[in-house]
mmCIF file of all heavy atoms in Angstrom:
data_model
loop_
_atom_site.group_PDB
_atom_site.id
_atom_site.type_symbol
_atom_site.label_atom_id
_atom_site.label_comp_id
_atom_site.label_asym_id
_atom_site.label_seq_id
_atom_site.Cartn_x
_atom_site.Cartn_y
_atom_site.Cartn_z
ATOM 1 N N TRP A 3 5.404 -28.805 -59.212
ATOM 2 C CA TRP A 3 6.721 -28.453 -58.656
ATOM 3 C C TRP A 3 7.240 -29.557 -57.741
ATOM 4 O O TRP A 3 8.451 -29.805 -57.693
ATOM 5 C CB TRP A 3 6.633 -27.128 -57.907
ATOM 6 C CG TRP A 3 6.573 -25.960 -58.832
ATOM 7 C CD1 TRP A 3 5.452 -25.304 -59.228
ATOM 8 C CD2 TRP A 3 7.666 -25.340 -59.503
ATOM 9 N NE1 TRP A 3 5.786 -24.302 -60.112
ATOM 10 C CE2 TRP A 3 7.141 -24.303 -60.291
ATOM 11 C CE3 TRP A 3 9.028 -25.571 -59.527
ATOM 12 C CZ2 TRP A 3 7.930 -23.492 -61.085
ATOM 13 C CZ3 TRP A 3 9.824 -24.750 -60.313
ATOM 14 C CH2 TRP A 3 9.277 -23.735 -61.086
ATOM 15 N N GLY A 4 6.343 -30.214 -57.045
ATOM 16 C CA GLY A 4 6.761 -31.322 -56.197
ATOM 17 C C GLY A 4 7.370 -32.467 -56.994
ATOM 18 O O GLY A 4 8.372 -33.058 -56.588
ATOM 19 N N PHE A 5 6.755 -32.766 -58.133
ATOM 20 C CA PHE A 5 7.313 -33.814 -58.991
ATOM 21 C C PHE A 5 8.663 -33.396 -59.564
ATOM 22 O O PHE A 5 9.546 -34.233 -59.746
ATOM 23 C CB PHE A 5 6.345 -34.171 -60.112
ATOM 24 C CG PHE A 5 5.184 -34.989 -59.652
ATOM 25 C CD1 PHE A 5 3.899 -34.480 -59.667
ATOM 26 C CD2 PHE A 5 5.367 -36.281 -59.193
ATOM 27 C CE1 PHE A 5 2.822 -35.235 -59.242
ATOM 28 C CE2 PHE A 5 4.302 -37.051 -58.755
ATOM 29 C CZ PHE A 5 3.029 -36.516 -58.776
ATOM 30 N N LEU A 6 8.832 -32.108 -59.839
ATOM 31 C CA LEU A 6 10.137 -31.632 -60.308
ATOM 32 C C LEU A 6 11.196 -31.828 -59.230
ATOM 33 O O LEU A 6 12.304 -32.290 -59.522
ATOM 34 C CB LEU A 6 10.058 -30.161 -60.711
ATOM 35 C CG LEU A 6 11.386 -29.525 -61.139
ATOM 36 C CD1 LEU A 6 11.868 -30.142 -62.439
ATOM 37 C CD2 LEU A 6 11.248 -28.028 -61.260
ATOM 38 N N VAL A 7 10.857 -31.516 -57.989
ATOM 39 C CA VAL A 7 11.805 -31.686 -56.891
ATOM 40 C C VAL A 7 12.123 -33.161 -56.684
ATOM 41 O O VAL A 7 13.297 -33.542 -56.547
ATOM 42 C CB VAL A 7 11.246 -31.045 -55.602
ATOM 43 C CG1 VAL A 7 12.087 -31.417 -54.396
ATOM 44 C CG2 VAL A 7 11.164 -29.534 -55.760
ATOM 45 N N VAL A 8 11.099 -34.004 -56.676
ATOM 46 C CA VAL A 8 11.314 -35.444 -56.481
ATOM 47 C C VAL A 8 12.176 -36.017 -57.606
ATOM 48 O O VAL A 8 13.125 -36.769 -57.366
ATOM 49 C CB VAL A 8 9.966 -36.185 -56.384
ATOM 50 C CG1 VAL A 8 10.151 -37.692 -56.502
ATOM 51 C CG2 VAL A 8 9.270 -35.838 -55.093
ATOM 52 N N GLY A 9 11.856 -35.666 -58.843
ATOM 53 C CA GLY A 9 12.629 -36.162 -59.979
ATOM 54 C C GLY A 9 14.062 -35.683 -59.960
ATOM 55 O O GLY A 9 14.995 -36.444 -60.221
ATOM 56 N N THR A 10 14.266 -34.413 -59.615
ATOM 57 C CA THR A 10 15.619 -33.857 -59.583
ATOM 58 C C THR A 10 16.451 -34.520 -58.490
ATOM 59 O O THR A 10 17.612 -34.881 -58.711
ATOM 60 C CB THR A 10 15.564 -32.337 -59.369
ATOM 61 O OG1 THR A 10 14.778 -31.759 -60.412
ATOM 62 C CG2 THR A 10 16.946 -31.727 -59.400
ATOM 63 N N LEU A 11 15.861 -34.705 -57.303
ATOM 64 C CA LEU A 11 16.595 -35.363 -56.222
ATOM 65 C C LEU A 11 16.878 -36.830 -56.537
ATOM 66 O O LEU A 11 17.947 -37.349 -56.201
ATOM 67 C CB LEU A 11 15.818 -35.234 -54.915
ATOM 68 C CG LEU A 11 15.754 -33.834 -54.323
ATOM 69 C CD1 LEU A 11 14.870 -33.829 -53.084
ATOM 70 C CD2 LEU A 11 17.135 -33.303 -54.009
ATOM 71 N N ALA A 12 15.942 -37.497 -57.192
ATOM 72 C CA ALA A 12 16.172 -38.901 -57.555
ATOM 73 C C ALA A 12 17.270 -39.030 -58.604
ATOM 74 O O ALA A 12 18.115 -39.924 -58.505
ATOM 75 C CB ALA A 12 14.877 -39.524 -58.063
ATOM 76 N N VAL A 13 17.285 -38.128 -59.574
ATOM 77 C CA VAL A 13 18.337 -38.169 -60.593
ATOM 78 C C VAL A 13 19.695 -37.847 -59.961
ATOM 79 O O VAL A 13 20.702 -38.476 -60.281
ATOM 80 C CB VAL A 13 18.008 -37.205 -61.755
ATOM 81 C CG1 VAL A 13 19.189 -36.990 -62.660
ATOM 82 C CG2 VAL A 13 16.834 -37.754 -62.551
ATOM 83 N N PHE A 14 19.699 -36.880 -59.035
ATOM 84 C CA PHE A 14 20.945 -36.575 -58.330
ATOM 85 C C PHE A 14 21.437 -37.784 -57.539
ATOM 86 O O PHE A 14 22.613 -38.149 -57.596
ATOM 87 C CB PHE A 14 20.757 -35.373 -57.396
ATOM 88 C CG PHE A 14 21.916 -35.162 -56.475
ATOM 89 C CD1 PHE A 14 23.125 -34.673 -56.954
ATOM 90 C CD2 PHE A 14 21.813 -35.478 -55.131
ATOM 91 C CE1 PHE A 14 24.203 -34.496 -56.113
ATOM 92 C CE2 PHE A 14 22.886 -35.301 -54.281
ATOM 93 C CZ PHE A 14 24.085 -34.811 -54.764
ATOM 94 N N GLY A 15 20.531 -38.429 -56.786
ATOM 95 C CA GLY A 15 20.918 -39.594 -56.001
ATOM 96 C C GLY A 15 21.388 -40.752 -56.857
ATOM 97 O O GLY A 15 22.347 -41.443 -56.510
ATOM 98 N N LEU A 16 20.747 -40.945 -57.987
ATOM 99 C CA LEU A 16 21.153 -42.029 -58.893
ATOM 100 C C LEU A 16 22.525 -41.756 -59.490
ATOM 101 O O LEU A 16 23.379 -42.642 -59.527
ATOM 102 C CB LEU A 16 20.105 -42.185 -59.992
ATOM 103 C CG LEU A 16 20.177 -43.416 -60.871
ATOM 104 C CD1 LEU A 16 20.068 -44.677 -60.035
ATOM 105 C CD2 LEU A 16 19.077 -43.382 -61.908
ATOM 106 N N GLY A 17 22.759 -40.524 -59.929
ATOM 107 C CA GLY A 17 24.071 -40.174 -60.472
ATOM 108 C C GLY A 17 25.163 -40.261 -59.430
ATOM 109 O O GLY A 17 26.273 -40.709 -59.705
ATOM 110 N N ARG A 18 24.842 -39.819 -58.199
ATOM 111 C CA ARG A 18 25.830 -39.883 -57.124
ATOM 112 C C ARG A 18 26.132 -41.323 -56.751
ATOM 113 O O ARG A 18 27.272 -41.671 -56.479
ATOM 114 C CB ARG A 18 25.295 -39.130 -55.913
ATOM 115 C CG ARG A 18 26.310 -39.033 -54.787
ATOM 116 C CD ARG A 18 25.715 -38.414 -53.588
ATOM 117 N NE ARG A 18 24.746 -39.370 -53.053
ATOM 118 C CZ ARG A 18 23.927 -39.113 -52.062
ATOM 119 N NH1 ARG A 18 23.906 -37.920 -51.539
ATOM 120 N NH2 ARG A 18 23.103 -40.028 -51.623
ATOM 121 N N ARG A 19 25.114 -42.167 -56.761
ATOM 122 C CA ARG A 19 25.316 -43.571 -56.384
ATOM 123 C C ARG A 19 26.092 -44.340 -57.448
ATOM 124 O O ARG A 19 26.928 -45.178 -57.133
ATOM 125 C CB ARG A 19 23.967 -44.237 -56.146
ATOM 126 C CG ARG A 19 24.062 -45.671 -55.772
ATOM 127 C CD ARG A 19 23.149 -45.969 -54.626
ATOM 128 N NE ARG A 19 23.194 -47.373 -54.285
ATOM 129 C CZ ARG A 19 23.825 -47.820 -53.214
ATOM 130 N NH1 ARG A 19 24.426 -46.982 -52.418
ATOM 131 N NH2 ARG A 19 23.813 -49.099 -52.943
ATOM 132 N N LEU A 20 25.796 -44.089 -58.714
ATOM 133 C CA LEU A 20 26.433 -44.851 -59.784
ATOM 134 C C LEU A 20 27.806 -44.314 -60.166
ATOM 135 O O LEU A 20 28.688 -45.083 -60.546
ATOM 136 C CB LEU A 20 25.522 -44.890 -61.007
ATOM 137 C CG LEU A 20 24.196 -45.615 -60.820
ATOM 138 C CD1 LEU A 20 23.374 -45.565 -62.090
ATOM 139 C CD2 LEU A 20 24.425 -47.054 -60.377
ATOM 140 N N LEU A 21 28.001 -42.986 -60.094
ATOM 141 C CA LEU A 21 29.291 -42.412 -60.481
ATOM 142 C C LEU A 21 29.927 -41.662 -59.320
ATOM 143 O O LEU A 21 30.719 -42.220 -58.582
ATOM 144 C CB LEU A 21 29.122 -41.509 -61.700
ATOM 145 C CG LEU A 21 28.687 -42.222 -62.984
ATOM 146 C CD1 LEU A 21 28.401 -41.227 -64.087
ATOM 147 C CD2 LEU A 21 29.734 -43.210 -63.411
ATOM 148 N N ASP A 22 29.617 -40.380 -59.176
ATOM 149 C CA ASP A 22 30.148 -39.567 -58.086
ATOM 150 C C ASP A 22 29.247 -38.356 -57.881
ATOM 151 O O ASP A 22 28.343 -38.119 -58.690
ATOM 152 C CB ASP A 22 31.600 -39.162 -58.357
ATOM 153 C CG ASP A 22 31.794 -38.354 -59.631
ATOM 154 O OD1 ASP A 22 30.809 -38.028 -60.301
ATOM 155 O OD2 ASP A 22 32.948 -38.038 -59.942
ATOM 156 N N PRO A 23 29.451 -37.582 -56.816
ATOM 157 C CA PRO A 23 28.562 -36.442 -56.557
ATOM 158 C C PRO A 23 28.551 -35.398 -57.674
ATOM 159 O O PRO A 23 27.510 -34.789 -57.941
ATOM 160 C CB PRO A 23 29.104 -35.854 -55.259
ATOM 161 C CG PRO A 23 29.767 -36.995 -54.579
ATOM 162 C CD PRO A 23 30.344 -37.833 -55.679
ATOM 163 N N ALA A 24 29.678 -35.180 -58.334
ATOM 164 C CA ALA A 24 29.708 -34.197 -59.422
ATOM 165 C C ALA A 24 28.825 -34.649 -60.588
ATOM 166 O O ALA A 24 28.106 -33.843 -61.187
ATOM 167 C CB ALA A 24 31.141 -33.974 -59.895
ATOM 168 N N ALA A 25 28.861 -35.924 -60.903
ATOM 169 C CA ALA A 25 28.020 -36.443 -61.974
ATOM 170 C C ALA A 25 26.543 -36.361 -61.586
ATOM 171 O O ALA A 25 25.686 -36.051 -62.427
ATOM 172 C CB ALA A 25 28.393 -37.888 -62.297
ATOM 173 N N GLY A 26 26.232 -36.620 -60.329
ATOM 174 C CA GLY A 26 24.859 -36.501 -59.867
ATOM 175 C C GLY A 26 24.352 -35.072 -59.949
ATOM 176 O O GLY A 26 23.212 -34.828 -60.348
ATOM 177 N N LEU A 27 25.202 -34.124 -59.602
ATOM 178 C CA LEU A 27 24.815 -32.724 -59.681
ATOM 179 C C LEU A 27 24.595 -32.295 -61.125
ATOM 180 O O LEU A 27 23.624 -31.594 -61.431
ATOM 181 C CB LEU A 27 25.888 -31.855 -59.019
ATOM 182 C CG LEU A 27 25.552 -30.401 -58.806
ATOM 183 C CD1 LEU A 27 24.331 -30.268 -57.912
ATOM 184 C CD2 LEU A 27 26.728 -29.677 -58.214
ATOM 185 N N LEU A 28 25.464 -32.717 -62.026
ATOM 186 C CA LEU A 28 25.296 -32.388 -63.440
ATOM 187 C C LEU A 28 24.023 -33.031 -64.007
ATOM 188 O O LEU A 28 23.269 -32.382 -64.740
ATOM 189 C CB LEU A 28 26.519 -32.841 -64.246
ATOM 190 C CG LEU A 28 26.464 -32.584 -65.751
ATOM 191 C CD1 LEU A 28 26.397 -31.079 -66.034
ATOM 192 C CD2 LEU A 28 27.645 -33.217 -66.445
ATOM 193 N N ALA A 29 23.786 -34.278 -63.651
ATOM 194 C CA ALA A 29 22.573 -34.959 -64.135
ATOM 195 C C ALA A 29 21.315 -34.273 -63.614
ATOM 196 O O ALA A 29 20.341 -34.099 -64.353
ATOM 197 C CB ALA A 29 22.591 -36.426 -63.714
ATOM 198 N N ALA A 30 21.319 -33.857 -62.355
ATOM 199 C CA ALA A 30 20.162 -33.175 -61.784
ATOM 200 C C ALA A 30 19.939 -31.825 -62.455
ATOM 201 O O ALA A 30 18.802 -31.436 -62.735
ATOM 202 C CB ALA A 30 20.352 -32.994 -60.278
ATOM 203 N N PHE A 31 21.010 -31.103 -62.731
ATOM 204 C CA PHE A 31 20.890 -29.817 -63.422
ATOM 205 C C PHE A 31 20.327 -30.006 -64.824
ATOM 206 O O PHE A 31 19.426 -29.273 -65.254
ATOM 207 C CB PHE A 31 22.251 -29.114 -63.480
ATOM 208 C CG PHE A 31 22.238 -27.864 -64.289
ATOM 209 C CD1 PHE A 31 21.671 -26.703 -63.782
ATOM 210 C CD2 PHE A 31 22.779 -27.840 -65.568
ATOM 211 C CE1 PHE A 31 21.643 -25.537 -64.536
ATOM 212 C CE2 PHE A 31 22.759 -26.692 -66.321
ATOM 213 C CZ PHE A 31 22.191 -25.535 -65.814
ATOM 214 N N LEU A 32 20.853 -30.983 -65.554
ATOM 215 C CA LEU A 32 20.372 -31.226 -66.907
ATOM 216 C C LEU A 32 18.922 -31.691 -66.904
ATOM 217 O O LEU A 32 18.148 -31.338 -67.796
ATOM 218 C CB LEU A 32 21.264 -32.247 -67.611
ATOM 219 C CG LEU A 32 22.675 -31.764 -67.940
ATOM 220 C CD1 LEU A 32 23.499 -32.895 -68.534
ATOM 221 C CD2 LEU A 32 22.645 -30.573 -68.875
ATOM 222 N N PHE A 33 18.541 -32.476 -65.906
ATOM 223 C CA PHE A 33 17.148 -32.912 -65.805
ATOM 224 C C PHE A 33 16.224 -31.731 -65.549
ATOM 225 O O PHE A 33 15.192 -31.581 -66.201
ATOM 226 C CB PHE A 33 17.003 -33.950 -64.691
ATOM 227 C CG PHE A 33 15.578 -34.314 -64.390
ATOM 228 C CD1 PHE A 33 14.892 -35.187 -65.208
ATOM 229 C CD2 PHE A 33 14.919 -33.775 -63.296
ATOM 230 C CE1 PHE A 33 13.576 -35.523 -64.941
ATOM 231 C CE2 PHE A 33 13.601 -34.099 -63.027
ATOM 232 C CZ PHE A 33 12.935 -34.976 -63.845
ATOM 233 N N ALA A 34 16.580 -30.906 -64.579
ATOM 234 C CA ALA A 34 15.694 -29.813 -64.172
ATOM 235 C C ALA A 34 15.575 -28.724 -65.231
ATOM 236 O O ALA A 34 14.570 -28.011 -65.260
ATOM 237 C CB ALA A 34 16.187 -29.206 -62.862
ATOM 238 N N THR A 35 16.567 -28.590 -66.083
ATOM 239 C CA THR A 35 16.532 -27.529 -67.096
ATOM 240 C C THR A 35 16.241 -28.050 -68.497
ATOM 241 O O THR A 35 16.322 -27.280 -69.455
ATOM 242 C CB THR A 35 17.869 -26.763 -67.115
ATOM 243 O OG1 THR A 35 18.927 -27.678 -67.403
ATOM 244 C CG2 THR A 35 18.117 -26.074 -65.781
ATOM 245 N N ALA A 36 15.889 -29.319 -68.602
ATOM 246 C CA ALA A 36 15.559 -29.869 -69.925
ATOM 247 C C ALA A 36 14.308 -29.170 -70.468
ATOM 248 O O ALA A 36 13.368 -28.883 -69.716
ATOM 249 C CB ALA A 36 15.313 -31.362 -69.821
ATOM 250 N N PRO A 37 14.290 -28.860 -71.757
ATOM 251 C CA PRO A 37 13.153 -28.117 -72.312
ATOM 252 C C PRO A 37 11.803 -28.780 -72.093
ATOM 253 O O PRO A 37 10.824 -28.103 -71.789
ATOM 254 C CB PRO A 37 13.491 -28.019 -73.802
ATOM 255 C CG PRO A 37 14.971 -28.145 -73.870
ATOM 256 C CD PRO A 37 15.352 -29.050 -72.748
ATOM 257 N N PHE A 38 11.727 -30.083 -72.207
ATOM 258 C CA PHE A 38 10.435 -30.734 -72.031
ATOM 259 C C PHE A 38 9.982 -30.700 -70.574
ATOM 260 O O PHE A 38 8.791 -30.633 -70.293
ATOM 261 C CB PHE A 38 10.458 -32.169 -72.544
ATOM 262 C CG PHE A 38 9.091 -32.778 -72.593
ATOM 263 C CD1 PHE A 38 8.198 -32.388 -73.578
ATOM 264 C CD2 PHE A 38 8.676 -33.690 -71.657
ATOM 265 C CE1 PHE A 38 6.917 -32.915 -73.634
ATOM 266 C CE2 PHE A 38 7.407 -34.223 -71.691
ATOM 267 C CZ PHE A 38 6.523 -33.843 -72.692
ATOM 268 N N VAL A 39 10.927 -30.744 -69.647
ATOM 269 C CA VAL A 39 10.568 -30.650 -68.229
ATOM 270 C C VAL A 39 10.010 -29.264 -67.931
ATOM 271 O O VAL A 39 8.997 -29.117 -67.246
ATOM 272 C CB VAL A 39 11.784 -30.982 -67.343
ATOM 273 C CG1 VAL A 39 11.503 -30.684 -65.888
ATOM 274 C CG2 VAL A 39 12.172 -32.438 -67.515
ATOM 275 N N VAL A 40 10.654 -28.234 -68.465
ATOM 276 C CA VAL A 40 10.157 -26.871 -68.271
ATOM 277 C C VAL A 40 8.789 -26.703 -68.931
ATOM 278 O O VAL A 40 7.883 -26.098 -68.356
ATOM 279 C CB VAL A 40 11.182 -25.853 -68.815
ATOM 280 C CG1 VAL A 40 10.627 -24.441 -68.766
ATOM 281 C CG2 VAL A 40 12.488 -25.953 -68.052
ATOM 282 N N PHE A 41 8.617 -27.276 -70.107
ATOM 283 C CA PHE A 41 7.324 -27.218 -70.780
ATOM 284 C C PHE A 41 6.244 -27.927 -69.957
ATOM 285 O O PHE A 41 5.119 -27.450 -69.851
ATOM 286 C CB PHE A 41 7.432 -27.852 -72.171
ATOM 287 C CG PHE A 41 6.127 -27.910 -72.916
ATOM 288 C CD1 PHE A 41 5.644 -26.795 -73.576
ATOM 289 C CD2 PHE A 41 5.385 -29.078 -72.942
ATOM 290 C CE1 PHE A 41 4.444 -26.832 -74.253
ATOM 291 C CE2 PHE A 41 4.179 -29.129 -73.623
ATOM 292 C CZ PHE A 41 3.709 -28.003 -74.282
ATOM 293 N N SER A 42 6.610 -29.056 -69.353
ATOM 294 C CA SER A 42 5.640 -29.797 -68.549
ATOM 295 C C SER A 42 5.256 -29.045 -67.278
ATOM 296 O O SER A 42 4.183 -29.261 -66.734
ATOM 297 C CB SER A 42 6.207 -31.165 -68.179
ATOM 298 O OG SER A 42 6.330 -31.961 -69.333
ATOM 299 N N LEU A 43 6.144 -28.188 -66.797
ATOM 300 C CA LEU A 43 5.792 -27.361 -65.644
ATOM 301 C C LEU A 43 4.741 -26.321 -65.998
ATOM 302 O O LEU A 43 3.901 -25.964 -65.178
ATOM 303 C CB LEU A 43 7.032 -26.646 -65.105
ATOM 304 C CG LEU A 43 7.949 -27.466 -64.228
ATOM 305 C CD1 LEU A 43 9.200 -26.669 -63.902
ATOM 306 C CD2 LEU A 43 7.251 -27.884 -62.962
ATOM 307 N N LEU A 44 4.787 -25.848 -67.217
ATOM 308 C CA LEU A 44 3.877 -24.789 -67.636
ATOM 309 C C LEU A 44 2.532 -25.316 -68.118
ATOM 310 O O LEU A 44 1.527 -24.612 -68.040
ATOM 311 C CB LEU A 44 4.528 -23.950 -68.737
ATOM 312 C CG LEU A 44 5.837 -23.263 -68.333
ATOM 313 C CD1 LEU A 44 6.448 -22.565 -69.531
ATOM 314 C CD2 LEU A 44 5.615 -22.302 -67.186
ATOM 315 N N HIS A 45 2.513 -26.510 -68.649
ATOM 316 C CA HIS A 45 1.294 -27.111 -69.183
ATOM 317 C C HIS A 45 1.087 -28.454 -68.495
ATOM 318 O O HIS A 45 1.933 -29.341 -68.582
ATOM 319 C CB HIS A 45 1.402 -27.320 -70.695
ATOM 320 C CG HIS A 45 1.736 -26.075 -71.433
ATOM 321 N ND1 HIS A 45 0.837 -25.077 -71.645
ATOM 322 C CD2 HIS A 45 2.894 -25.659 -71.985
ATOM 323 C CE1 HIS A 45 1.408 -24.098 -72.312
ATOM 324 N NE2 HIS A 45 2.669 -24.430 -72.535
ATOM 325 N N PHE A 46 -0.059 -28.615 -67.846
ATOM 326 C CA PHE A 46 -0.293 -29.829 -67.070
ATOM 327 C C PHE A 46 -0.402 -31.044 -67.987
ATOM 328 O O PHE A 46 -1.239 -31.098 -68.884
ATOM 329 C CB PHE A 46 -1.569 -29.713 -66.238
ATOM 330 C CG PHE A 46 -1.839 -30.950 -65.447
ATOM 331 C CD1 PHE A 46 -1.091 -31.228 -64.323
ATOM 332 C CD2 PHE A 46 -2.810 -31.844 -65.846
ATOM 333 C CE1 PHE A 46 -1.323 -32.392 -63.588
ATOM 334 C CE2 PHE A 46 -3.053 -32.998 -65.127
ATOM 335 C CZ PHE A 46 -2.304 -33.270 -63.996
ATOM 336 N N GLN A 47 0.467 -31.998 -67.732
ATOM 337 C CA GLN A 47 0.465 -33.301 -68.389
ATOM 338 C C GLN A 47 0.962 -34.306 -67.360
ATOM 339 O O GLN A 47 1.573 -33.940 -66.359
ATOM 340 C CB GLN A 47 1.407 -33.319 -69.585
ATOM 341 C CG GLN A 47 1.050 -32.356 -70.671
ATOM 342 C CD GLN A 47 2.111 -32.355 -71.770
ATOM 343 O OE1 GLN A 47 3.167 -32.954 -71.638
ATOM 344 N NE2 GLN A 47 1.815 -31.683 -72.849
ATOM 345 N N LEU A 48 0.754 -35.561 -67.604
ATOM 346 C CA LEU A 48 1.243 -36.584 -66.676
ATOM 347 C C LEU A 48 2.656 -37.046 -66.999
ATOM 348 O O LEU A 48 3.142 -37.997 -66.390
ATOM 349 C CB LEU A 48 0.294 -37.785 -66.672
ATOM 350 C CG LEU A 48 -1.012 -37.578 -65.931
ATOM 351 C CD1 LEU A 48 -1.877 -38.820 -66.039
ATOM 352 C CD2 LEU A 48 -0.774 -37.231 -64.489
ATOM 353 N N ASP A 49 3.314 -36.380 -67.933
ATOM 354 C CA ASP A 49 4.654 -36.812 -68.299
ATOM 355 C C ASP A 49 5.692 -36.477 -67.227
ATOM 356 O O ASP A 49 6.604 -37.265 -66.981
ATOM 357 C CB ASP A 49 5.058 -36.194 -69.635
ATOM 358 C CG ASP A 49 4.213 -36.722 -70.768
ATOM 359 O OD1 ASP A 49 3.767 -37.872 -70.674
ATOM 360 O OD2 ASP A 49 3.982 -35.987 -71.738
#
């Protein structure tokens, strides 16, 4: 869960820095709800 939080905040910050806050929020939402990310939360892998 910590890696999910770190990844989501980093994607949000990157989107906000490169485009705008709305794009960062959308990118963070899409990252956090991506099927493989959810799968990785349920099954331990280093991905």
Side-chain angles (χ1 to χ4, degrees):
W3 284 98
F5 285 113
L6 176 67
V7 170
V8 167
T10 303
L11 290 176
V13 167
F14 170 72
L16 192 59
R18 185 185 69 187
R19 179 135 178 105
L20 296 179
L21 295 174
D22 60 4
L27 190 60
L28 179 63
F31 174 76
L32 291 175
F33 172 78
T35 59
F38 190 74
V39 171
V40 174
F41 177 80
S42 293
L43 280 174
L44 300 175
H45 305 286
F46 179 75
Q47 298 175 352
L48 285 178
D49 294 330

